[in-house]
Amino acid sequence: MTTPEQPAQKTTRARKTTAAKRTSTPRKTAAGASTGTLPDPTEREVILEVNSLQKYFPVTRGIIFRKKIGDVQAVDGLNFKLSKGETLGLVGESGCGKSTTGRLLTRLLEPTGGKVLFEGKDITHASMSTMRPLRRDIQMIFQDPYSSLNPRHNIGTIVGAPFRIQGIETEKGVKRSVQELLELVGLSPEHYNRYPHEFSGGQRQRIGIARALALRPKLIVCDEPVSALDVSIQAQVINLLQDVQTELDLTYVFIAHDLSVVRHISNRVAVMYLGKIVELGDADSIAKRPAHPYTRGLLDAVPVPDPFAPLPASELRGEIPSPLSPPSGCRFRTRCPYAQERCAMEVPLLREVADDQFVACHFPLHGEVAPMPEAVELSTTAG
């Protein structure tokens, strides 16, 4: 039986310090953001580096004699760096390769090509035995908070699994450590013996976050952690992620399709289309001055909380092409109102069009757009 959302435990250290931190200390964001600045990129420690990352899924035909007829190019040539303590937002339509990228970064999928460097160490094709100790530092929060939890195990067993798998013994014992994790994410220690079906969606996502935090990782990939939740619960989970990031000095790759949510939590944003990054830069700069037509189309799709406001005329047209046979040249050209002959002949490369803003477009847009509505008011009262 599903239980309603319960108030967060006021005893958690994250909740105790949140209000003071938000009023006294500006949140660290990428250079140029309105809420503060990170140090110069050359002074920051790079925790994750991705070079020409690819993932192709073979497509076969036949029953007895199977024949390969092509490849689904889910991810095709990603390049970016992530600094310690930073949040990089990956945003795009369904099918653009966001979740596949997250699974490549955590090595849940084997890359087809390219490199993934974690703290300078190449983990692209690391074996299972090599990856096992690295699992302490790299964790993932999954999109569906129910299917990612084993319904046959109670919460204590689920959240305590990382300790047992890694063979870690805590000073207070695994049970007490798990109860402290439950308190940290706004749940009660009494939930230790309950099962996933006894919780609501927001509570189940908190359990998934607690499991990811168990070993105090350095990098967490958040694969659309709020897309399956109600708007009010989304706000609480996002606040929770920000709180624990500040307290535990975490680095996030935050995957979502809602630009307003991504802008709120991210320092930088990478916009993906059909397996490629088409725009990369500071979250505020991309929200106010998008240089790629696809980014502007995503901004137009953000709902405005005003029933009388006119609907923006989206520039996007048509459907996403098949990743099995993407268009030549610029992959977005079949839906772009500004496409020209050059777009079909030449693949656009990421180039800098403003300070720390890069775009893969032959004819980038200029000028500010209408202000994007802020995300729902993110109350610090968890439910």
Side-chain angles (χ1 to χ4, degrees), residues 13-55:
R13 292 176 294 168
R15 295 297 172 189
K16 283 181 178 180
T17 58
T18 299
K21 287 181 179 178
R22 289 186 175 176
T23 56
S24 61
T25 305
R27 180 176 172 233
K28 292 182 178 180
T29 60
S34 60
T35 52
T37 57
L38 280 170
D40 185 84
T42 58
E43 300 176 0
R44 286 180 264 158
E45 177 185 351
V46 175
I47 191 172
L48 182 70
E49 183 175 352
V50 174
N51 297 321
S52 303
L53 187 62
Q54 293 180 325
K55 180 59 182 178

Side-chain angles (χ1 to χ4, degrees), residues 219-259:
L219 171 67
I220 297 182
V221 177
C222 307
D223 183 14
E224 301 199 42
V226 297
S227 63
L229 307 178
D230 294 337
V231 174
S232 60
I233 309 304
Q234 287 183 12
Q236 297 161 12
V237 172
I238 289 174
N239 276 336
L240 171 62
L241 291 172
Q242 289 180 313
D243 293 344
V244 296
Q245 181 180 33
T246 301
E247 182 169 349
L248 303 179
D249 192 24
L250 301 175
T251 304
Y252 288 150
V253 175
F254 191 90
I255 300 170
H257 59 265
D258 189 338
L259 260 175

